[in-house]
Amino acid sequence: NVSNVTLRNLTFDGVGGDAIHIQSLGGTSTFSNLTFNDIGGSALVVDGGPPELRLTNLTVNDSQNDAVVLANLTNADVTIEGLN
């Protein structure tokens, strides 16, 4: 379980599985200006929890699975802006 996560201005290259996989996310979290290149799984997975989640300016260049997976969220407040 994690809460209040901020990830900004990062690039993920050649990851064999999911680049970011978070279970039971809570609190307010922001993921912005992230670039994913040649990802073997999904670029971003958030599975479970009641987060307030902000995704802005995400770029996915080749992901073998879904680019973004938001699963099993309860009473979540999700904003997505700028998914390429």
Side-chain angles (χ1 to χ4, degrees):
N1 299 342
V2 294
S3 296
N4 304 319
V5 176
T6 300
L7 297 175
R8 290 190 177 121
N9 305 320
L10 298 171
T11 299
F12 298 84
D13 289 309
V15 177
D18 298 336
I20 299 172
H21 191 123
I22 299 174
Q23 292 184 294
S24 299
L25 181 63
T28 300
S29 295
T30 302
F31 302 131
S32 64
N33 300 318
L34 304 180
T35 301
F36 302 90
N37 301 310
D38 192 26
I39 306 301
S42 295
L44 171 64
V45 177
V46 177
D47 186 359
E52 181 178 329
L53 181 59
R54 303 290 176 254
L55 306 176
T56 58
N57 299 322
L58 304 183
T59 301
V60 180
N61 300 311
D62 192 19
S63 175
Q64 296 299 311
N65 292 337
D66 297 321
V68 176
V69 177
L70 304 176
N72 304 309
L73 303 179
T74 304
N75 297 320
D77 179 8
V78 178
T79 301
I80 300 173
E81 298 175 345
L83 178 59
N84 299 306

